[in-house]
Amino acid sequence: MSGKLIDPFGREITYLRLSVTEHCNLNCFYCRPEPDSNVAEMSKELLTVDEFKTIAREAVALGMTRIRLTGGEPLLRPDILSIVSALSVIDGLKDLSLTTNGIFMERMAFQLAGAGLKRVNISLDSLDEATYRRITGGGKLQDTLKGIEKALQANLTPVKINVVLLKGINDGEIRNFLELTIERDIDVRFIEFMPSVGRREQWRRHFLSLDRVNEEAGRIAPLIPLENEHGGPARYFRLKGAAGKIGLISPLSRHFCHLCNRFRVTSAGGLKPCLFSPDEVDLKPFISDRKGLKEKFREALQLKPDPGKVACNPDQRAEQFQGIRSMTQIGG
Ligand code: SAM
C-alpha cells in the first residue's frame, strides 16, 4: 500500500485544517448555530500542543504538505505560539498558515512570524464600520484593518482577505473590495455563503452566487486568469494592471468536490472527511499509537463522499448539507 492518502475516487489528501478552539471573540451569524438548533455540543477537552504535533507529524508522514490553523478564533488560544512553533519544524511540511478575524493580529503578527508561521488569511466581510459590526455581532472594523497592516509588515504574505458574500448585507461592497487589489498586493477572496447547521433560513435569504463578482469585476478592468499557486479551491484572476489578486470560492454554484484534497480536525480531535457530512473519526484515543492513528486517517479516506453525486445547483447542493457542527466548531 502506498503511504499516500488517496481516497476511493482518486483524490490525494495533502491539506489539513486544524481547528485549535471552538471559541471566538466575534459572533458572525453565518458561522454560529441558532441558539435552539440541534447542533453538536461544544468540545470540553481540547487537544494539547503535543497532541496537535503528533497528529500533524503523522499527517505529514502520510503525504500531507500544507496545514492551516483555524477555529473559532485561533489567536484566542493562549498557547497558539507554541502550536505554531511545534508544527513549523515538522520535516516535510511545506506550508503553515492560519485563518483569523485579524482582531489580535496587530499585537501578534510579528510573534507569529517569529514562531514560524508563513502566511495568514484574514476574514473581513465589510469595509463599512456599521455593516462590519452588524455581521460580526459587535466587532470593530478598525481592529481588523490594523491587523491586516501588521500582517503585511510582518511578511505573513500573501495576505488573503476572505469575504463571505451575503445578499442584502455586503453585496453593495463588491466593487470596493475588488478595488482594494488595485494598489495593494493583497488577495481578496470572495466565498459563497455555505449552509450551516441551523442556518437554513438565513442561507436562503442571503446566499448569492459569485457570478455577481465576475460581472462587477469585468466592469472595472479586463480580467486576467491566473494559476492557483497553493492548489486550493479558489479560481484566481487579476484586474489588468492591479497589484493583488481576486479569488472566487464557489462551493455551491460551482462545486470543486472532485478536486477536494483536505481533511479537517476539530479542536477535540475529530477527523472530518467532508464539511457537508456528519461523519467524524475520533483520533483522540489513538494519539499515542502511531499505527492506530494512520489507520484512522485511512478509515476517514473511505468516508470521503463521491464527487459524482454532488449537486451542481446551489439549492439542491444546500439540501445535501447534513453537518451537525457549526462552522465555528469545524473551522470553515
Ligand atoms: N475566526 C477565524 C476567522 O474569522 O477567519 C477562523 C475561523 S472561521 C470559521 C474560518 C472561515 O470560515 C472564515 O473565513 C469565515 O468567513 C468562513 N465561514 C464561516 N462560516 C461560513 C459560512 N457559513 N459560509 C462560508 N464561509 C464561512
Side-chain angles (χ1 to χ4, degrees):
M1 195 193 327
S2 125
K4 292 182 172 177
L5 291 170
I6 299 178
D7 80 3
F9 306 97
R11 295 170 293 195
E12 185 180 347
I13 310 302
T14 55
Y15 175 40
L16 186 64
R17 293 177 72 97
L18 292 176
S19 170
V20 296
T21 177
E22 296 182 359
H23 295 282
C24 191
N25 49 324
L26 295 183
N27 207 0
C28 306
F29 73 86
Y30 56 72
C31 199
R32 303 245 186 205
E34 284 282 10
D36 54 353
S37 64
N38 206 8
V39 66
E41 266 188 44
M42 295 279 270
S43 307
K44 291 189 187 78
E45 276 197 40
L46 302 187
L47 296 180
T48 62
V49 176
D50 284 345
E51 289 172 333
F52 277 118
K53 180 157 190 181
T54 304
I55 290 173
R57 217 189 298 118
E58 236 29 79
V60 172
L62 288 167
M64 298 221 188
T65 53
R66 299 168 52 208
I67 294 182
R68 171 173 300 278
L69 300 173
T70 176
E73 173 49 44
L75 301 187
L76 277 183
R77 251 202 77 149
D79 54 1
I80 187 66
L81 293 174
S82 306
I83 296 176
V84 171
S85 304
L87 268 49
S88 67
V89 294
I90 295 176
D91 225 13
L93 182 64
K94 297 198 179 120
D95 187 29
L96 179 62
S97 58
L98 178 140
T99 299
T100 170
N101 57 40
I103 302 276
F104 302 121
M105 276 311 274
E106 193 189 12
R107 63 177 155 86
M108 293 191 69
F110 278 90
Q111 289 169 295
L112 287 162
L117 189 71
K118 295 253 191 335
R119 59 194 181 91
V120 285
N121 288 6
I122 299 184
S123 300
L124 175 66
D125 296 332
S126 177
L127 296 166
D128 172 80
E129 271 179 41
T131 311
Y132 183 86
R133 210 177 314 117
R134 171 180 172 202
I135 295 173
T136 59
K140 285 201 198 119
L141 172 65
Q142 283 308 321
D143 291 344
T144 295
L145 295 179
K146 284 185 208 154
I148 292 171
E149 291 307 321
K150 206 53 128 193
L152 286 164
Q153 286 165 21
N155 237 354
L156 290 168
T157 53
V159 172
K160 298 182 182 178
I161 308 289
N162 286 343
V163 186
V164 177
L165 188 62
L166 301 162
K167 183 164 75 182
I169 299 181
N170 66 2
D171 51 338
E173 296 187 56
I174 295 174
R175 192 183 183 100
N176 297 351
F177 274 112
L178 291 168
E179 286 178 350
L180 266 191
T181 67
I182 295 178
E183 302 286 335
R184 308 292 306 269
D185 188 7
I186 292 176
D187 295 355
V188 174
R189 300 162 5 125
F190 292 89
I191 306 173
E192 280 178 352
F193 180 15
M194 281 182 270
S196 181
V197 59
R199 289 288 175 194
R200 285 283 158 102
E201 253 329 289
Q202 264 134 336
W203 183 81
R204 283 196 195 97
R205 215 174 314 139
H206 297 299
F207 170 78
L208 186 61
S209 151
L210 294 191
D211 291 348
R212 177 68 66 79
V213 177
N214 253 326
E215 290 161 21
E216 192 84 34
R219 285 191 209 116
I220 302 177
L223 304 179
I224 302 162
L226 302 169
E227 290 252 323
N228 180 341
E229 59 191 291
H230 293 117
R235 289 170 285 134
Y236 276 102
F237 57 87
R238 193 187 292 281
L239 292 170
K240 194 169 178 214
K245 296 182 221 161
I246 294 159
L248 302 182
I249 304 176
S250 319
L252 281 298
S253 68
R254 280 184 187 220
H255 80 79
F256 32 79
C257 299
H258 53 294
L259 300 174
C260 184
N261 62 353
R262 59 188 61 188
F263 272 158
R264 295 174 168 84
V265 174
T266 68
S267 50
L271 178 55
K272 293 198 68 68
C274 172
L275 203 50
F276 272 60
S277 136
D279 289 337
E280 215 167 283
V281 173
D282 190 7
L283 297 181
K284 182 110 177 178
F286 301 92
I287 301 267
S288 53
D289 164 15
R290 282 191 70 175
K291 192 162 160 271
L293 210 46
K294 281 205 170 88
E295 276 164 15
K296 290 287 144 183
F297 272 106
R298 296 203 183 285
E299 190 181 316
L301 270 186
Q302 303 306 314
L303 298 171
K304 293 280 294 174
D306 179 352
K309 296 197 172 138
V310 175
C312 296
N313 162 301
D315 291 310
Q316 287 167 2
R317 182 62 183 136
E319 284 303 316
Q320 292 179 328
F321 179 82
Q322 293 181 340
I324 51 163
R325 292 190 188 280
S326 63
M327 289 289 194
T328 189
Q329 290 179 304
I330 306 173

